[in-house]
Amino acid sequence: MKKLILSIITSIIITAATFALPGFESYLPDYSGEYVYYKDNSFTRESYVGILYYNESTLQIRYYAPQNNVNYLPEKNISILLTINPDAPYWEMTGERMVSTIMPGTEDVDLVNYLHDLLYEFSAHRIKTEIVENRETRIIQDYEQFGGSVTIIYDCTIPMFNIRDIIDTEGKTQLKCITTGRLKDNSDTSFDDFKGFPQENTETTGSKKSKSKKSKAKSVKYSFENQTLTLDSDWTQAMDNLWLLRNDSVATLSTLPAFDNDDETRNQLFILRRVIQSAQNAYTNYSSLSISNKDTIKITSKVFHSDREQNVYSTMILSKKKGSSDFDIFSISTYEEPWLENTSYFQKIIKSYSN
């Protein structure tokens, strides 16, 4: 439960150090420690590519493939630290250091070359694209690494190159963003530790039936600043704005400061980018991500906690703070089993929130 609480708190921390990649202007700034992971379907085996941003002159790129017992393929983990010229108008690599062991004369060399080409092409295609100011900009471009003509979906909430998906002419997604995140500090190994998401057991998941939580607990209405939330006496108030339901669930009320007071759209997109990012060893699964934007922004997702090998169901509601550019935020995170067994109970709590 302590790590569940920390993952929520660290996910909304905003700091000031920003940088930019060469050759194009980003609508939202990139921050040191931000990363993105893609599932790369151009390989015949399960493969992931991650890019970690240190600053405008240093990045890390990693290829990971889990062990495949059916085809007798060993686990593969290749990681490269790269330096680039931040003043060049295009991608100009100035140095590299192998973080992982590379075996000469093996496919490792081809994989290193593939990662080099991927970054070069990412940069070249992004430079050719106009500024990305929304969550979905579709552009048809030629991309030989992925079979020729492709549709690239750009999304300004994705760090660095803003690439979310690459889809070929047959409609197959060759490259798909599966998570983004930001490292907490130098001791956070979440980027290097990522190994994909566990396969869903549809029989087990589907067999769980939602039911109302049986309890005689009395309803209790809580408030934090201008926000209110109705829980019950089974919950324990741990802080002024944080409540625990045993080891099952944690609920918080907080305020996120504005990033840009002069541009409401940019401010909203930046806040959205920050709150959906993975925290330390707690990876937001983009395949489960749902974002609705009406009077408020409601974000639902499934977050995989690798230290406990458990999924957490997360719901966040962002509401514009009255008379301010800041956002009020309600968050509730619940481990998978209690959520699936008592979904209507937790949904009732979510509906009780107001600001």
Side-chain angles (χ1 to χ4, degrees):
M1 178 56 68
K2 181 180 178 182
K3 290 193 174 182
L4 179 57
I5 295 170
L6 287 174
S7 71
I8 293 170
I9 293 173
T10 57
S11 69
I12 60 176
I13 292 174
I14 298 174
T15 56
T18 63
F19 304 97
L21 287 173
F24 63 91
E25 179 183 356
S26 291
Y27 185 55
L28 301 180
D30 294 316
Y31 283 72
S32 179
E34 284 189 300
Y35 65 85
V36 55
Y37 263 100
Y38 298 93
K39 191 172 189 296
D40 193 334
N41 295 314
S42 66
F43 289 87
T44 56
R45 66 182 296 183
E46 182 181 351
S47 298
Y48 303 96
V49 175
I51 307 170
L52 170 63
Y53 189 77
Y54 286 89
N55 53 49
E56 71 267 16
S57 60
T58 310
L59 294 92
Q60 183 177 338
I61 187 166
R62 176 176 177 247
Y63 171 86
Y64 178 78
Q67 181 174 309
N68 186 320
N69 294 323
V70 175
N71 296 320
Y72 306 103
L73 298 173
E75 181 183 51
K76 184 69 67 175
N77 187 15
I78 292 177
S79 197
I80 313 168
L81 192 67
L82 301 167
T83 56
I84 58 175
N85 180 1
D87 299 319
Y90 51 84
W91 186 263
E92 182 185 342
M93 196 172 80
T94 57
E96 69 177 348
R97 179 172 65 85
M98 298 299 165
V99 180
S100 57
T101 301
I102 305 299
M103 301 299 293
T106 68
E107 66 170 344
D108 289 2
V109 177
D110 292 333
L111 287 170
V112 168
N113 291 332
Y114 176 80
L115 296 178
H116 284 165
D117 291 343
L118 192 72
L119 285 172
Y120 176 83
E121 292 293 339
F122 268 24
S123 177
H125 284 81
R126 182 62 184 84
I127 289 171
K128 284 190 282 187
T129 305
E130 294 182 3
I131 189 168
V132 178
E133 298 181 341
N134 52 47
R135 293 199 61 244
E136 186 166 314
T137 299
R138 290 174 174 259
I139 296 180
I140 297 176
Q141 294 179 333
D142 189 63
Y143 205 132
E144 288 303 320
Q145 269 186 312
F146 296 107
S149 179
V150 298
T151 298
I152 302 180
I153 301 177
Y154 291 95
D155 180 342
C156 67
T157 66
I158 306 295
M160 288 166 282
F161 302 100
N162 304 138
I163 293 174
R164 189 170 78 202
D165 299 324
I166 297 178
I167 304 169
D168 64 21
T169 54
E170 297 179 355
K172 180 181 178 183
T173 302
Q174 294 288 339
L175 195 78
K176 185 175 185 64
C177 173
I178 56 171
T179 197
T180 65
R182 188 176 180 207
L183 302 183
K184 178 186 175 184
D185 52 35
N186 291 335
S187 65
D188 187 346
T189 59
S190 299
F191 177 79
D192 294 321
D193 293 343
F194 183 72
K195 295 185 177 182
F197 294 103
Q199 296 296 315
E200 294 287 352
N201 187 333
T202 54
E203 292 183 4
T204 302
T205 303
S207 65
K208 291 183 179 293
K209 295 182 179 180
S210 172
K211 58 186 179 182
S212 297
K213 176 176 171 288
K214 303 298 181 182
S215 174
K216 295 182 180 180
K218 182 180 178 181
S219 295
V220 182
K221 190 172 184 177
Y222 293 97
S223 63
F224 176 72
E225 296 180 350
N226 56 298
Q227 303 173 74
T228 62
L229 179 67
T230 301
L231 300 171
D232 58 48
S233 55
D234 284 342
W235 289 76
T236 302
Q237 186 168 13
M239 297 170 60
D240 287 346
N241 63 333
L242 188 149
W243 298 265
L244 306 174
L245 180 63
R246 297 180 293 276
N247 289 320
D248 293 344
S249 185
V250 55
T252 63
L253 300 175
S254 56
T255 298
L256 291 176
F259 164 71
D260 189 334
N261 289 302
D262 299 322
D263 189 329
E264 184 175 341
T265 299
R266 188 167 181 252
N267 184 52
Q268 179 176 300
L269 286 166
F270 176 82
I271 296 296
L272 184 61
R273 171 167 165 169
R274 179 64 72 237
V275 299
I276 62 180
Q277 286 183 328
S278 304
Q280 188 169 15
N281 294 120
Y283 303 102
T284 301
N285 189 333
Y286 264 51
S287 67
S288 69
L289 188 64
S290 173
I291 301 173
S292 61
N293 189 352
K294 295 182 180 178
D295 295 333
T296 60
I297 304 171
K298 184 178 180 181
I299 307 163
T300 60
S301 63
K302 196 154 49 173
V303 181
F304 178 62
H305 285 242
S306 59
D307 54 337
R308 299 189 61 167
E309 296 190 348
Q310 290 189 50
N311 283 316
V312 168
Y313 282 70
S314 171
T315 298
M316 293 185 184
I317 297 177
L318 279 69
S319 308
K320 192 76 173 297
K321 200 173 186 68
K322 293 178 176 64
S324 170
S325 297
D326 298 345
F327 275 87
D328 288 329
I329 179 169
F330 160 62
S331 172
I332 183 168
S333 296
T334 309
Y335 283 111
E336 185 169 40
E337 186 171 351
W339 171 269
L340 293 176
E341 289 182 349
N342 304 283
T343 306
S344 58
Y345 168 77
F346 291 109
Q347 291 287 12
K348 184 179 179 180
I349 290 173
I350 294 168
K351 290 178 182 178
S352 76
Y353 169 74
S354 65
N355 78 318

